[in-house]
Coordinates of all heavy atoms in Angstrom, one line a residue:
A64 N 101.7 100.8 10.0 CA 103.0 100.0 10.0 C 103.1 99.0 11.1 O 103.6 97.9 10.9 CB 104.2 101.0 10.0
Q65 N 102.5 99.3 12.2 CA 102.6 98.4 13.4 C 101.9 97.1 13.1 O 102.3 96.0 13.6 CB 102.1 99.1 14.6 CG 102.3 98.3 15.9 CD 103.8 98.1 16.2 OE1 104.6 99.1 16.2 NE2 104.3 96.9 16.4
A66 N 100.8 97.2 12.3 CA 100.0 96.0 12.0 C 100.9 95.0 11.2 O 100.8 93.8 11.3 CB 98.8 96.3 11.3
V67 N 101.7 95.6 10.3 CA 102.7 94.8 9.5 C 103.8 94.3 10.5 O 104.2 93.1 10.4 CB 103.3 95.6 8.4 CG1 104.2 94.7 7.6 CG2 102.1 96.1 7.5
A68 N 104.3 95.2 11.3 CA 105.4 94.8 12.2 C 105.0 93.7 13.1 O 105.8 92.8 13.5 CB 105.8 96.0 13.0
D69 N 103.8 93.7 13.6 CA 103.3 92.6 14.5 C 103.4 91.2 13.9 O 103.7 90.2 14.5 CB 101.9 92.9 15.0 CG 101.8 94.1 15.9 OD1 102.9 94.5 16.5 OD2 100.7 94.6 16.1
V70 N 103.1 91.2 12.6 CA 103.1 89.9 11.8 C 104.5 89.5 11.5 O 104.8 88.3 11.6 CB 102.2 90.1 10.5 CG1 102.4 88.8 9.7 CG2 100.8 90.3 10.9
K71 N 105.4 90.5 11.2 CA 106.7 90.2 10.8 C 107.7 90.1 12.0 O 108.9 89.8 11.8 CB 107.2 91.2 9.8 CG 106.4 91.3 8.5 CD 106.3 90.0 7.8 CE 107.7 89.7 7.2 NZ 107.6 88.4 6.4
D72 N 107.3 90.5 13.2 CA 108.2 90.6 14.3 C 109.4 91.5 14.1 O 110.5 91.1 14.3 CB 108.6 89.2 14.7 CG 109.2 89.2 16.2 OD1 108.9 90.1 17.0 OD2 110.1 88.3 16.4
L73 N 109.1 92.7 13.5 CA 110.1 93.7 13.2 C 109.7 95.0 13.9 O 108.5 95.2 14.1 CB 110.2 93.9 11.7 CG 110.9 92.9 10.9 CD1 110.7 93.2 9.4 CD2 112.4 92.8 11.2
P74 N 110.7 95.8 14.3 CA 110.3 97.1 14.8 C 109.9 98.1 13.7 O 110.2 97.9 12.5 CB 111.7 97.6 15.4 CG 112.7 96.9 14.6 CD 112.1 95.6 14.2
V75 N 109.2 99.1 14.1 CA 108.8 100.2 13.2 C 109.8 101.3 13.4 O 109.9 101.9 14.5 CB 107.4 100.7 13.4 CG1 107.1 101.9 12.5 CG2 106.4 99.6 13.1
Q76 N 110.5 101.6 12.3 CA 111.4 102.8 12.4 C 110.7 104.0 11.8 O 110.0 103.9 10.8 CB 112.7 102.5 11.5 CG 113.5 101.3 11.9 CD 114.7 101.0 11.0 OE1 115.6 101.8 11.0 NE2 114.7 99.9 10.3
T77 N 110.8 105.1 12.5 CA 110.1 106.3 12.0 C 111.0 107.4 11.4 O 112.1 107.5 11.8 CB 109.3 106.9 13.2 OG1 110.2 107.3 14.2 CG2 108.2 105.9 13.7
D78 N 110.4 108.1 10.5 CA 111.1 109.2 9.8 C 110.2 110.4 9.6 O 109.2 110.2 8.8 CB 111.7 108.6 8.5 CG 112.5 109.6 7.8 OD1 112.6 110.8 8.2 OD2 113.1 109.2 6.7
S79 N 110.4 111.5 10.2 CA 109.6 112.7 10.0 C 109.6 113.2 8.6 O 108.7 113.9 8.2 CB 110.0 113.8 11.0 OG 111.3 114.2 10.7
L80 N 110.7 112.9 7.8 CA 110.8 113.3 6.4 C 109.8 112.6 5.5 O 109.6 113.0 4.4 CB 112.2 113.1 5.9 CG 113.2 114.0 6.6 CD1 114.6 113.6 6.1 CD2 113.0 115.5 6.4
L81 N 109.1 111.6 6.0 CA 108.1 110.8 5.3 C 106.7 111.4 5.6 O 105.7 110.8 5.2 CB 108.2 109.3 5.6 CG 109.4 108.6 5.0 CD1 109.5 107.2 5.6 CD2 109.3 108.5 3.5

Side-chain angles (χ1 to χ4, degrees):
Q65 190 60 52
V67 180
D69 289 345
V70 172
K71 301 300 293 182
D72 195 27
L73 285 169
V75 175
Q76 303 179 63
T77 60
D78 185 352
S79 62
L80 294 176
L81 291 167

